[in-house]
Amino acid sequence: MPGWGVAVVPEMVARTAVTPVGMRLLEPGDLRRTISVVRRTDETAPAADAFRALLRGAFGRAQQA
């Protein structure tokens, strides 16, 4: 159908769409992704600390190197 499209995206992306979208969940599988954050060791900005805390809360465990 003209004007229609299909995409496979993570659920967290589909749920934040600014336009109405239809969603169909796929069966769970072994799909994984890694989300990394790099920071300067001398970073002291409160906003940066808050952003890292937000990421840890949204995505679970955090590994610090």
Side-chain angles (χ1 to χ4, degrees):
M1 298 180 95
W4 286 53
V6 175
V8 177
V9 297
E11 184 179 359
M12 62 182 260
V13 173
R15 291 200 182 279
T16 61
V18 294
T19 57
V21 296
M23 288 191 344
R24 299 292 182 265
L25 297 178
L26 301 176
E27 292 292 323
D30 278 346
L31 300 175
R32 295 179 176 259
R33 69 180 175 280
T34 300
I35 298 174
S36 300
V37 175
V38 178
R39 67 178 182 96
R40 296 187 312 232
T41 56
D42 63 342
E43 180 63 67
T44 59
D49 290 338
F51 180 65
R52 285 191 296 273
L54 176 76
L55 292 176
R56 285 187 196 106
F59 299 110
R61 68 184 173 91
Q63 295 178 344
Q64 295 183 356

